[in-house]
Amino acid sequence: PIHGSLLSVHQGPDGMIHTLHARHFANSRVAPDHDGPFKVAAVVAVVRANLAMGVKKPGKIDTTELVWFPKKDGTLLSAWKLNHSTADPPGMWESFVDAMSGEVLQTHSTIKTVDGTGMAFVPNPVQRDGTVGALADNNDANSSPKLRW
């Protein structure tokens, strides 16, 4: 498969196709020396990705898949798509490593983060009062009741 390609077909109950979405790579061509068997094993590719990231302690390899990695100029490289974790620094990663040269093509974290604010109660009202009386569902209304704390 070509990394990033997509085909999505939406059918109605009668089997008729309603919409079709596709992401393809027109005028793609295999890069020179990338049409034969791979030269870099998946395990070596993970080591290369970890070295490029400065990993001190690797984790485990979750999945490896040989894919075509599209470059901006339309050439396709035979590459390893690797999902792997690291212990130091802690993380989960998706990396692409050229299966012929071992060059790290791309690495990004698969951990989702959020930056925001919130409120915490120590102790929370149920623990403090020993009752759930302050928690009400507002008679199933689509609004929040004013809590009596």
Side-chain angles (χ1 to χ4, degrees), residues 100-114:
M100 298 299 180
S101 70
E103 176 190 358
V104 178
L105 303 169
Q106 185 181 87
T107 296
H108 68 272
S109 174
T110 59
I111 294 176
K112 305 298 182 210
T113 60
V114 65

Side-chain angles (χ1 to χ4, degrees), residues 42-61 82-89 91-97 102 104 106-107:
V43 174
V44 174
V46 172
V47 171
R48 296 270 178 100
N50 286 339
L51 285 172
M53 293 187 300
V55 170
K56 296 178 183 145
K57 185 176 179 186
K60 70 177 199 157
I61 302 169
L82 311 163
N83 288 296
H84 57 109
S85 61
T86 55
D88 186 13
M92 295 173 64
W93 309 94
E94 180 178 73
S95 300
F96 293 87
V97 178
V104 178
Q106 185 181 87
T107 296

Side-chain angles (χ1 to χ4, degrees), residues 123-146:
N124 70 52
V126 174
Q127 287 176 323
R128 181 190 65 221
D129 301 338
T131 178
V132 295
L135 303 178
D137 70 359
N138 201 22
N139 295 320
D140 292 328
N142 291 331
S143 64
S144 299
K146 292 191 177 192

